[in-house]
Amino acid sequence: MKDIINKLYRNHSLIYKGLLFICTTFLIVYLFPKSGKFKYNFEKGKPWQSENLYAPFDFAITKSDEEIKIEKESILDESVLYFNLDSLIVDKVKDKFETEFNKIFPDSIPKTERNLLHGIGVETLNKLYKYGVLDEAYDYPDERTVVILRGRTIKEKTFFSNLVKPDAISKIIEGSLINNLNKYNNGFVSLFFDIIESNLSYNKSFTDKALEDEFKNISFTRGSVEKGTLIISKGEIVEGEKFQLLNSLKSEYESQVWNESNYNWILFAYTLLVALALLMLLLFLRKYRYVVFEDNTKVTFIFFNIFLIIFLTTLVVNYNSKYIYVVPICILPLVFKAFFDARLGLFAHVITVLLLGFIVPNSYEYMFLQIIAGIVTILTVSELYKRANLFISVGQITLIYIVAYFAFFVIHEGTIETIKLETFMWFVLCGLATLFVQPLIYAYEKLFGLVSDVSLLELSDTNTKLLKELSNKAPGTFHHSLNVANLAESCANEVGANAMLIRVGALYHDIGKMTNPTYFTENQSTGINPHDELSSKESAKIIIEHVINGIEIARKNKLPDRVIDFIRTHHGTSMVYYFYRKEKELKDIIVDKLDYSYPGPKPFSKETAILMMCDSVEAASKSLKEPTSTKIDAFVESIINKQIEEEQFLNANITFKEIESIKKVLKHKLSNIYHLRIEYPE
């Protein structure tokens, strides 16, 4: 049991990566659509590229969107309008008519005319209320069918033209009087205007419900295709009926109800593909970025960002796929380039885009645009800490999106007349969203403890609290650090290392000397050497402890681990040779080398190896007397060759060719520093 626990402990890093790999795979698969995917790609107006296609099963031919739209419009035009009838109004109006008629037309007028007026009035009322009088002027065609409801019962079915509109009442009344009764026109009209009331009101809820029922009865299919029927032949143009047949087959294939067996197979297949893609990423890290692979925090950071982009894209696709290009996918390579390097950023970007191909519509077009945009991002964005560079690069990325989309649109449609300018606006919004990378990088630095070039630029400022303290307490060490920083930066540029990182590392590599500044020769301005009162072993201990003290000070001031690595490794496992030799000369005994050796570790990156060389050369160059070009060359060669013999660079990814290039830079720089001026006469 103990052996098993020890084995698990030794392999805890790999176990964590395995669990992370499994969790990320299942989370991504969870976001994927859970149905089959049609295996053929086709475009309207283009030739069918695959072999002859036969119906794999019986399926119905779906109507096109245009056909459905026309059918809905037809139903809407022919739909029945429902009106509520108030049956009490007619009796009420007739009673009022009798009362008001006697007032307006008294017995004093001729009886014949009075009886005739009364009969015309009754006839007019019957005409007005035959179907009913509307409460307002509704704008419907005269031929629309109307159903009049009394309560929940259908009383009458007629046409809208038969209903009396408010603005038609006066015409009906005026037209009812015969010529010899025109003298009574004003009284007759005023009588009706005083008593007429509407008895029909539009029942919108009932009408809408009936219309909805009609829409529900619409059939979305027309005819069917039997299994084995030839759908389309190779080379045949995809248009008209053929296009509709293919769309019907695709829709049926992707929307059919999957049984449990099929569903499980689909999940299994998706899991295999996602796992394969993420495995390629892990293998890439293990082979080409082993330092990143060993750091579980960095691996978690990479997987988290990939999942985040897929999650955001899925949300947008589920909401409305036309906004798909608003998602700033190019943030991914930008973030990875800021914290790692361009190659890792591009590789992770391509893997992510391949996975997104399962989710987005028009996957080939989408993947092409995003991969091209990712390449442009990697090629154009340099020195992310310079704001102008980011804005220029985002502009270039947006332009590439627009140009590529325009080209695809012309290929698909064969014209630019139907192009939608709003799509270009999505690309502009995507570019603006990409600018969010700056605050995102800052947030990631705090969450994951990473360091970007932006933070390195801030740390390289010599006015920072820690560097100011170094210049006050140990001015000689501060000056030495500045010289080492300049040398290391030049060497880094020569061999393609991270110049900004190595400069910051050089500025802080000796901050541990602030604890006992006078025990280091560069800070001994009075000529008094405190080591004269100490034994060689004690002196060596104080010198060696500046590394430990430096780490403690760095952690106290929350310097990033990438910077602390320079403090830990700038002496590697080398010896404080001066005091070791002094001890040997004084005592004729065997001296333990470990007492005079730095604890390490040895440099484990190109940058830390360069700093070790530059630090040793700059410090030792102070001992050169009457330097000449030959002396400087021999001096640089001897120091760096000794470090190679001691295997100080064994763990660093630096080549002999790069070391030779670094030697040349150091020789050239030291020659410039120690160049003797001509003595001018006084």
Side-chain angles (χ1 to χ4, degrees):
M1 186 65 182
K2 188 177 180 181
D3 292 339
I4 294 172
I5 293 172
N6 290 335
K7 194 172 182 180
L8 289 173
Y9 179 77
R10 286 195 301 271
N11 295 292
H12 74 279
S13 181
L14 283 174
I15 293 170
Y16 174 81
K17 289 182 184 68
L19 292 173
L20 178 67
F21 171 79
I22 293 168
C23 289
T24 308
T25 299
F26 281 111
L27 284 172
I28 292 173
V29 170
Y30 177 76
L31 298 175
F32 280 5
K34 307 301 186 298
S35 64
K37 195 171 179 68
F38 196 55
K39 60 182 177 180
Y40 299 105
N41 290 316
F42 59 91
E43 297 173 23
K44 190 175 183 180
K46 302 295 179 185
W48 178 255
Q49 300 292 335
S50 305
E51 296 299 324
N52 294 353
L53 178 62
Y54 296 89
F57 44 73
D58 295 342
F59 67 93
I61 304 170
T62 56
K63 295 176 183 176
S64 65
D65 291 340
E66 189 63 28
E67 288 175 316
I68 298 294
K69 183 180 177 183
I70 292 170
E71 195 167 335
K72 282 187 175 181
E73 288 175 354
S74 175
I75 290 173
L76 188 61
D77 292 340
E78 297 173 4
S79 62
V80 176
L81 301 173
Y82 288 86
F83 286 87
N84 291 327
L85 174 68
D86 188 343
S87 56
L88 299 176
I89 293 293
V90 176
D91 294 335
K92 180 181 175 184
V93 169
K94 286 182 178 180
D95 290 342
K96 279 186 178 181
F97 172 77
E98 294 296 336
T99 304
E100 295 300 320
F101 184 83
N102 291 328
K103 289 180 182 178
I104 296 172
F105 303 106
D107 294 339
S108 58
I109 64 173
K111 187 176 180 181
T112 306
E113 291 181 356
R114 190 173 183 275
N115 290 338
L116 191 57
L117 282 171
H118 185 274
I120 292 171
V122 172
E123 186 182 337
T124 302
L125 284 176
N126 291 334
K127 187 176 180 181
L128 287 171
Y129 288 102
K130 181 179 180 182
Y131 295 103
V133 178
L134 293 169
D135 58 346
E136 60 180 272
Y138 297 101
D139 186 21
Y140 290 112
D142 288 343
E143 63 274 9
R144 285 288 288 273
T145 303
V146 168
V147 169
I148 298 172
L149 300 172
R150 180 185 286 162
R152 306 293 292 180
T153 308
I154 296 175
K155 180 183 180 294
E156 197 81 48
K157 190 172 184 181
T158 184
F159 295 102
F160 186 71
S161 57
N162 292 327
L163 306 184
V164 179
K165 303 174 185 64
D167 56 0
I169 295 174
S170 60
K171 285 184 181 181
I172 294 171
I173 297 169
E174 290 171 0
S176 62
L177 288 179
I178 55 179
N179 292 336
N180 61 339
L181 296 175
N182 282 341
K183 58 184 178 180
Y184 301 109
N185 186 65
N186 290 337
F188 194 76
V189 171
S190 64
L191 165 64
F192 276 89
F193 267 100
D194 288 339
I195 65 171
I196 294 298
E197 292 182 35
S198 63
N199 64 337
L200 290 179
S201 59
Y202 180 53
N203 191 329
K204 188 177 185 305
S205 61
F206 209 94
T207 303
D208 289 346
K209 187 177 183 306
L211 185 62
E212 188 180 335
D213 291 339
E214 289 288 334
F215 283 157
K216 285 179 180 177
N217 292 329
I218 292 176
S219 173
F220 289 90
T221 62
R222 50 173 179 82
S224 62
V225 176
E226 293 183 0
K227 181 179 179 181
T229 303
L230 177 65
I231 295 174
I232 192 168
S233 304
K234 185 175 182 180
E236 196 173 347
I237 302 299
V238 179
E239 59 184 358
E241 186 66 17
K242 296 291 182 184
F243 180 69
Q244 197 57 39
L245 283 173
L246 288 169
N247 269 333
S248 301
L249 177 59
K250 181 180 179 181
S251 177
E252 181 70 22
Y253 190 88
E254 292 183 350
S255 65
Q256 61 182 297
V257 179
W258 296 91
N259 57 40
E260 187 178 349
S261 174
N262 282 340
Y263 181 80
N264 291 335
W265 275 112
I266 290 169
L267 281 183
F268 176 70
Y270 272 139
T271 305
L272 278 182
L273 292 173
V274 174
L276 191 63
L278 295 180
L279 181 63
M280 293 304 104
L281 180 59
L282 282 176
L283 291 176
F284 170 84
L285 294 175
R286 191 175 186 279
K287 185 171 178 63
Y288 297 106
R289 298 293 182 271
Y290 192 73
V291 175
V292 176
F293 180 79
E294 283 290 285
D295 192 326
N296 285 340
T297 301
K298 291 177 179 177
V299 176
T300 305
F301 173 73
I302 292 169
F303 276 56
F304 170 77
N305 276 277
I306 291 173
F307 173 75
L308 182 63
I309 291 294
I310 294 173
F311 176 70
L312 290 175
T313 306
T314 306
L315 287 181
V316 172
V317 170
N318 290 338
Y319 175 70
N320 193 332
S321 61
K322 78 174 185 178
Y323 301 125
I324 187 65
Y325 288 110
V326 177
V327 182
I329 304 293
C330 288
I331 278 185
L332 193 68
L334 278 174
V335 167
F336 287 161
K337 187 177 181 181
F339 289 115
F340 306 113
D341 60 82
R343 190 176 177 187
L344 192 156
L346 182 59
F347 193 91
H349 176 73
V350 171
I351 291 291
T352 306
V353 172
L354 289 175
L355 292 173
L356 287 174
F358 293 110
I359 301 170
V360 299
N362 301 322
S363 56
Y364 175 77
E365 176 186 322
Y366 178 86
M367 289 163 64
F368 184 90
L369 260 66
Q370 296 297 0
I371 289 174
I372 290 294
I375 293 171
V376 171
T377 303
I378 293 297
L379 293 178
T380 58
V381 179
S382 57
E383 299 178 324
L384 192 60
Y385 52 86
K386 294 182 180 178
R387 288 172 294 179
N389 287 355
L390 181 60
F391 278 97
I392 292 168
S393 296
V394 166
Q396 292 171 331
I397 294 164
T398 305
L399 180 63
I400 290 296
Y401 270 131
I402 291 172
V403 170
Y405 177 80
F406 175 80
F408 267 110
F409 186 88
V410 173
I411 290 171
H412 291 162
E413 301 296 329
T415 178
I416 62 170
E417 293 177 1
T418 56
I419 197 165
K420 293 181 180 177
L421 296 179
E422 68 170 338
T423 307
F424 297 138
M425 184 57 66
W426 305 143
F427 293 128
V428 174
L429 290 175
C430 177
L432 293 174
T434 305
L435 295 174
F436 184 68
V437 71
Q438 285 282 23
L440 187 64
I441 286 172
Y442 177 78
Y444 279 152
E445 286 179 334
K446 301 303 178 187
L447 287 172
F448 290 91
L450 302 171
V451 60
S452 68
D453 285 351
V454 180
S455 294
L456 291 176
L457 181 66
E458 293 173 357
L459 290 171
S460 67
D461 184 3
T462 53
N463 288 315
T464 58
K465 180 184 175 183
L466 195 54
L467 290 180
K468 270 190 172 182
E469 188 180 354
L470 178 64
S471 66
N472 291 331
K473 290 184 177 179
T477 300
F478 179 71
H479 185 258
H480 159 73
S481 297
L482 286 175
N483 290 338
V484 173
N486 292 331
L487 289 173
E489 188 174 15
S490 299
C491 294
N493 288 326
E494 184 68 23
V495 298
N498 189 330
M500 178 64 72
L501 176 62
I502 201 170
R503 179 173 184 81
V504 173
L507 289 173
Y508 291 90
H509 79 284
D510 268 345
I511 55 173
K513 291 182 179 179
M514 286 192 294
T515 306
N516 296 299
T518 55
Y519 284 86
F520 300 91
T521 53
E522 67 266 26
N523 300 312
Q524 294 171 358
S525 56
T526 58
I528 300 171
N529 189 347
H531 288 290
D532 293 340
E533 300 176 3
L534 300 174
S535 67
S536 298
K537 191 173 181 180
E538 288 173 327
S539 295
K541 184 181 179 184
I542 291 173
I543 298 296
I544 291 167
E545 278 181 348
H546 88 271
V547 173
I548 307 300
N549 294 334
I551 294 170
E552 290 176 357
I553 293 170
R555 295 205 185 282
K556 186 179 178 181
N557 286 271
K558 298 181 179 178
L559 289 183
D561 288 338
R562 289 176 76 186
V563 177
I564 295 174
D565 288 341
F566 288 93
I567 301 172
R568 295 166 57 214
T569 61
H570 74 277
H571 284 296
T573 56
S574 60
M575 292 176 60
V576 185
Y577 192 70
Y578 174 81
F579 290 109
Y580 171 73
R581 191 176 61 183
K582 184 179 177 183
E583 182 73 5
K584 254 190 138 182
E585 289 173 355
L586 289 174
K587 298 178 182 179
D588 189 18
I589 56 172
I590 297 173
V591 180
D592 189 356
K593 289 185 178 183
L594 290 176
D595 292 336
Y596 296 86
S597 298
Y598 286 96
K602 296 176 181 179
F604 46 77
S605 68
K606 190 182 292 185
E607 287 77 14
T608 51
I610 291 171
L611 179 66
M612 185 180 197
M613 293 183 234
C614 295
D615 180 45
S616 301
V617 168
E618 202 285 331
S621 67
K622 299 292 190 293
S623 64
L624 280 175
K625 296 177 181 178
E626 298 180 3
T628 62
S629 179
T630 307
K631 279 185 178 179
I632 288 172
D633 288 357
F635 166 77
V636 171
E637 288 286 345
S638 65
I639 288 179
I640 295 179
N641 287 341
K642 185 180 179 183
Q643 290 174 336
I644 293 172
E645 288 171 11
E646 293 176 352
E647 298 182 339
Q648 294 297 328
F649 308 131
L650 200 62
N651 299 330
N653 59 334
I654 191 166
T655 64
F656 283 114
K657 184 179 180 181
E658 288 170 335
I659 291 174
E660 289 302 316
S661 298
I662 291 166
K663 286 180 181 177
K664 287 179 183 178
V665 173
L666 291 173
K667 291 171 186 177
H668 176 71
K669 289 289 182 182
L670 288 176
S671 296
N672 290 340
I673 292 170
Y674 291 105
H675 177 66
L676 299 176
R677 293 178 178 270
I678 299 171
E679 290 189 10
Y680 294 98
E682 295 182 2

